[in-house]
Amino acid sequence: NDRLAHGRRLLDEALCLKPKFAEARLYLGFTCQAQNDSEGAAEAYRQVFLRTDRLINRAHAAIQLGMLHDHAAEHAEALRFYRWVVAVGLVARRPEFSFVLHNIVVEHVSMGNLSAAAELLGRIREERPQLWEQSRAWLRAAPELLGCLKADAICRQLLEIDEPAYFVA
């Protein structure tokens, strides 16, 4: 806690000297999150998302804002931020951002839109094998999410192809 507080003071000082320092503002958001200051984190990420001209920094901010909204069960808002990352083309151009597709699946499931979740899971399975492997691991670690998917016939059929172990009694 002392190190986080010290880091936050240094980030605040850096931002006083250079208010448009997007990377420092992103780290301020991470620090706020670690200190359970969701409002401070959201404000830091919002500032980066709205004010920086570097697309990568905006995407990191959008993803973090999406995660904050997901944590607050504001799934439609989270989905908007994740979709923005896809819409600007980062998922297509930068594989390290492809996990956002899985986040979109999670938001669809959380909102009860299982047909959209199934469609996107099918696309991930066919077009992004590495992400599919990771998605399967994330699903194994999320029993509530997996339970929702298993309850839907289309999702169940899709998952049963590669993961019959999900359905063993």
Side-chain angles (χ1 to χ4, degrees):
N1 283 338
D2 290 341
R3 289 180 187 200
L4 279 174
H6 180 68
R8 189 169 179 170
R9 285 190 301 275
L10 292 174
L11 289 166
D12 287 336
E13 187 177 323
L15 289 165
C16 283
L17 296 171
K18 190 176 175 185
K20 294 183 179 183
F21 189 8
E23 290 85 353
R25 197 161 301 279
L26 282 170
Y27 281 110
L28 176 62
F30 296 140
T31 303
C32 289
Q33 276 184 281
Q35 293 177 317
N36 295 316
D37 177 9
S38 295
E39 287 180 32
E43 181 57 27
Y45 298 138
R46 199 173 301 110
Q47 291 294 320
V48 174
F49 183 72
L50 295 174
R51 294 194 166 82
T52 189
D53 56 354
R54 293 193 62 214
L55 189 57
I56 299 295
N57 287 339
R58 288 189 76 199
H60 285 299
I63 291 165
Q64 293 304 316
L65 285 164
M67 292 171 73
L68 288 172
H69 283 293
D70 176 75
H71 186 70
E74 298 165 347
H75 303 292
E77 287 297 311
L79 185 59
R80 284 181 51 220
F81 282 106
Y82 297 145
R83 282 182 170 164
W84 180 88
V85 176
V86 175
V88 298
L90 278 174
V91 171
R93 291 190 314 264
R94 306 280 301 258
E96 66 267 25
F97 285 99
S98 66
F99 72 90
V100 170
L101 297 172
H102 179 84
N103 291 15
I104 290 171
V105 168
V106 170
E107 298 312 327
H108 280 305
V109 172
S110 298
M111 294 186 305
N113 191 352
L114 295 175
S115 62
E119 179 184 333
L120 186 51
L121 279 172
R123 283 185 35 220
I124 290 170
R125 183 176 178 269
E126 290 180 21
E127 299 169 13
R128 297 178 179 272
Q130 285 183 301
L131 178 58
W132 177 243
E133 291 300 316
Q134 186 62 58
S135 288
R136 290 167 51 200
W138 287 329
L139 290 173
R140 280 191 295 273
E144 288 178 22
L145 177 65
L146 185 58
C148 290
L149 291 169
K150 286 166 50 172
D152 180 78
I154 296 170
C155 293
R156 183 182 177 106
Q157 183 180 15
L158 178 71
L159 292 170
E160 226 167 7
I161 293 167
D162 286 329
E163 287 290 344
Y166 286 163
F167 305 97
V168 174

